[in-house]
Amino acid sequence: MKNRIRNLLFDLGNVIVDIDVDDAHDRLGRLFRSDVKGEITDKAFLDYESGKISTDIFINTLLSQCDHRVQAIDIIEAWNSMLTGVPPHRLEMLTRLKTNYSVYILSNTNAMHLEWINRYVKKAHHAAHFDNRYFDHAYYSHEVGDRKPNASIFKFIIEDAFMTPALTLYMDDMQENLDVAQKLGFQTYLVKPGEEIAEYLKLEGFY
């Protein structure tokens, strides 16, 4: 596979950034009232991730489902608890890969999480400008206004980056996203729970 690849397209969560979705949902759940309407919070999550609502509207929507004692900072901390860190060897991997490949990211994410990641990488690894430093281009759902697994977001990056799917290895931890990419001609790899993407790419000879 390595000899046919010119572009590396990474998912963010559970591939580059370690995340704990269950913990974040548990922490948010403890803030919500017992009569909270799941369809309201679920819609807010999707709308925020797709860039349809601002951070302020997202926070206020969740606050409307909480007891009056809950404050915005409680929502922010619970929401950002989903992110647990980026190990240094993955950043080293990206730096080395970028010398021989075009390296991209495609992620369903949001403004608050990106702000957290940039602060974390700068504080923990003394590296500013996460996107520009480690990627040729980053495609984030809330900025594009679309999200995986919609085929339209893959078609957008193909056109925007002049990307040839057959020459691109796309790595994600969600099979449904990979299935859509495969239909569009991408080479794909499923990152399994607990698997280290840096070890896989090193073993395959990418760096």
Side-chain angles (χ1 to χ4, degrees), residues 6-111:
R6 298 292 179 269
N7 313 303
L8 297 171
L9 179 61
F10 291 90
D11 179 30
L12 190 62
N14 278 336
V15 178
I16 301 299
V17 179
D18 291 331
I19 64 173
D20 190 338
V21 176
D22 292 339
D23 181 60
H25 285 174
D26 286 346
R27 289 184 61 170
L28 284 169
R30 290 195 292 271
L31 300 177
F32 295 146
R33 299 189 311 271
S34 58
D35 64 339
V36 66
K37 292 180 172 59
E39 61 269 21
I40 293 176
T41 55
D42 289 348
K43 185 176 187 303
F45 295 150
L46 291 175
D47 284 350
Y48 188 42
E49 202 173 67
S50 301
K52 295 178 181 177
I53 59 175
S54 67
T55 295
D56 286 345
I57 292 175
F58 173 70
I59 291 172
N60 287 330
T61 300
L62 297 192
L63 279 174
S64 74
Q65 304 300 300
C66 299
D67 185 273
H68 69 277
R69 290 170 294 185
V70 176
Q71 300 181 31
I73 189 62
D74 300 315
I75 296 292
I76 293 168
E77 289 178 350
W79 181 244
N80 283 342
S81 70
M82 186 181 302
L83 307 161
T84 61
V86 186
H89 64 267
R90 285 196 205 127
L91 298 181
E92 180 184 350
M93 169 198 74
L94 291 170
T95 299
R96 295 179 65 180
L97 289 172
K98 204 176 174 188
T99 63
N100 294 311
Y101 300 91
S102 294
V103 181
Y104 302 91
I105 201 154
L106 172 61
S107 174
N108 288 347
T109 190
N110 56 84

